[in-house]
């Protein structure tokens, strides 16, 4: 997400494998973070969280939950995922 959102092309010591790069882009598309190669509003919201893209997406989705549901989501993330 960070690389996709940058206006500067990354300079890699070694380029990532093409297949891994495609998998990462597919994941971001499935999460609604990119559409037609461009960042979406969801991606902009995800960038506020300095965590893995999957976790950031869960946190963005959790923003619309009520307090009790947020507590359940955070407990799930903290105890069952991490």
């Amino acid at each position: 997400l960070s690389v996709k959102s940058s206006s500067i092309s990354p300079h890699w010591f070694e380029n990532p494998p093409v297949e891994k790069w495609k998998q990462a882009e597919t994941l971001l598309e499935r999460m609604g973070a990119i559409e037609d190669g461009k960042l979406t509003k969801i991606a902009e919201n995800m960038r506020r969280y300095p965590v893995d893209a999957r976790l950031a997406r869960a946190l963005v989705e959790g923003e619309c939950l009520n307090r009790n549901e947020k507590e359940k989501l955070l407990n799930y993330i903290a105890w069952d995922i991490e």
Side-chain angles (χ1 to χ4, degrees):
L1 190 58
S2 296
V3 172
K4 201 72 166 155
S5 66
S6 176
S7 60
I8 301 170
S9 295
H11 296 282
W12 308 99
F13 289 114
E14 290 184 33
N15 287 331
V18 173
E19 186 60 31
K20 293 288 185 184
W21 189 256
K22 288 180 182 178
Q23 288 174 350
E25 285 187 326
T26 299
L27 176 62
L28 290 173
E29 286 173 357
R30 290 178 60 202
M31 290 190 297
I34 58 174
E35 189 174 291
D36 299 323
K38 298 186 193 270
L39 295 181
T40 64
K41 176 81 169 144
I42 291 170
E44 294 301 325
N45 290 333
M46 289 170 61
R47 291 183 60 216
R48 293 182 290 137
Y49 297 102
V51 296
D52 176 77
R54 291 174 184 93
L55 183 53
R57 182 63 178 100
L59 293 170
V60 167
E61 193 63 29
E63 291 173 356
C64 64
L65 300 176
N66 67 43
R67 183 181 170 101
N68 187 39
E69 291 170 326
K70 283 181 185 178
E71 184 177 329
K72 288 178 186 178
L73 175 62
L74 291 174
N75 278 327
Y76 173 73
I77 290 168
W79 299 108
D80 294 341
I81 295 177
E82 295 295 320

